[in-house]
Amino acid sequence: MFARFDFATLIGLVASVLVLGGVIWLGDGFRAFLNLPSLLIVLGGTLAVTLISYPLGDVLRTLPAVFSIMFRRLRDPSEAAMLAVKLADEARRHGHLALPARLQRERNEPFLRKAMQLVVDDTPTQEIERILSNDVGSQVQREKLSAAVLHRAGEIAPAMGLIGTLLGLVQMLGRLDNPTEIGPAMALALLTTLYGAILANMVLHPLATKLEHHTEEEATLNRLYAAAARSISCKENPRHLEALINSLLPPLKRVRYYAA
């Protein structure tokens, strides 16, 4: 049903790399900006302090969440709203037992399928509301926790860059009597700050923001489906569901299934 994929994250990351790479290439080349100790301080330190801040399980669950940012299917709220009203209309015309056959074509909507299955099973309306509300809340909580882990890592990365800078300055001051060793120490001092700033502001914080956006979008559509399940369970007029759904959507995404 929803064939559009989110390539904006991938394009943004690639564009960031190209911009930085182009500036470096036009300058003194890449060699001057490659320093393994600086990279280890920033990456290793960021991971270590993040693990101190959050349990291991929460950090590990962030990895698939990050992966899903680039490969998650984007759903059109208008199409989702139209589908919900259409299901309500078909249930009113043919009875809710006709829903399973209709839902066979919606294999990419597990929440919708679960909501409608509760209706087909004649689950009490209040129980449907409770189950679906808990599901939405649990999903939002999980993904917001992953976003919080990313934001925390984004706060740590510049701090690790500053720590690396201080380490480099200490090493540099201790080697003033040997000019040949001042250069590597200065590189460590400066590049860790650069690496930390890049990691935080071009990777971690943007990914966290995108995850938060997707979480809110997903929750809105799932609440829309939950409203449809409740309406069908109560045998309400689908026109009422249409008005309710439109109240959940931004003005430009509102639908008109029924003629005025």
Side-chain angles (χ1 to χ4, degrees):
M1 175 182 173
F2 304 101
R4 188 164 53 94
F5 286 82
D6 178 20
F7 290 105
T9 303
L10 182 60
I11 293 173
L13 290 174
V14 172
S16 299
V17 171
L18 291 177
V19 169
L20 287 177
V23 172
I24 293 172
W25 181 73
L26 293 173
D28 295 331
F30 293 95
R31 188 177 182 84
F33 289 88
L34 297 177
N35 187 277
L36 184 58
S38 298
L39 194 61
L40 291 176
I41 290 173
V42 173
L43 294 181
T46 299
L47 177 59
V49 179
T50 301
L51 288 172
I52 295 173
S53 303
Y54 288 93
L56 177 61
D58 293 341
V59 176
L60 293 179
R61 279 190 291 269
T62 302
L63 299 179
V66 171
F67 181 81
S68 72
I69 292 174
M70 289 185 288
F71 298 98
R72 178 180 298 182
R73 293 167 62 88
L74 293 181
R75 302 187 294 174
D76 188 340
S78 297
E79 291 186 30
M82 191 65 73
L83 172 61
V85 177
K86 186 179 296 184
L87 288 173
D89 185 68
E90 292 180 5
R92 183 178 178 85
R93 293 173 183 272
H94 308 293
H96 63 264
L97 293 179
L99 291 175
R102 176 66 175 80
L103 290 172
Q104 289 298 319
R105 290 176 284 175
E106 308 300 334
R107 299 185 181 276
N108 293 322
E109 294 290 348
F111 187 91
L112 174 63
R113 290 169 63 87
K114 177 178 180 177
M116 293 301 133
Q117 188 60 51
L118 290 172
V119 175
V120 173
D121 293 341
D122 289 322
T123 306
T125 301
Q126 291 185 344
E127 187 69 8
I128 292 176
E129 290 181 314
R130 185 185 66 82
I131 293 173
L132 297 181
S133 177
N134 288 342
D135 284 352
V136 172
S138 296
Q139 181 181 4
V140 169
Q141 185 177 9
R142 287 195 305 270
E143 298 201 354
K144 283 193 173 182
L145 179 58
S146 296
V149 171
L150 289 173
H151 276 307
R152 177 59 179 156
E155 295 171 354
I156 295 167
M160 295 308 304
L162 178 59
I163 291 173
T165 297
L166 296 176
L167 290 174
L169 291 175
V170 170
Q171 293 178 7
M172 184 182 67
L173 293 175
R175 299 171 182 175
L176 291 178
D177 57 341
N178 188 348
T180 60
E181 296 184 5
I182 294 178
M186 179 63 76
L188 176 65
L190 296 179
L191 288 178
T192 48
T193 298
L194 176 64
Y195 291 163
I198 290 174
L199 181 62
N201 297 293
M202 300 184 72
V203 180
L204 296 173
H205 283 309
L207 287 177
T209 301
K210 179 62 72 68
L211 181 57
E212 290 172 340
H213 172 74
H214 280 179
T215 299
E216 291 299 327
E217 181 183 69
E218 189 86 5
T220 297
L221 295 186
N222 286 342
R223 291 189 186 103
L224 182 153
Y225 290 146
R230 178 194 174 281
S231 177
I232 295 173
S233 176
C234 293
K235 298 180 173 58
E236 293 179 346
N237 191 315
R239 294 176 182 271
H240 174 74
L241 174 62
E242 182 183 66
L244 175 61
I245 285 177
N246 282 333
S247 71
L248 297 174
L249 296 175
L252 294 179
K253 292 295 183 179
R254 291 174 181 172
V255 298
R256 289 184 60 188
Y257 183 80
Y258 298 97

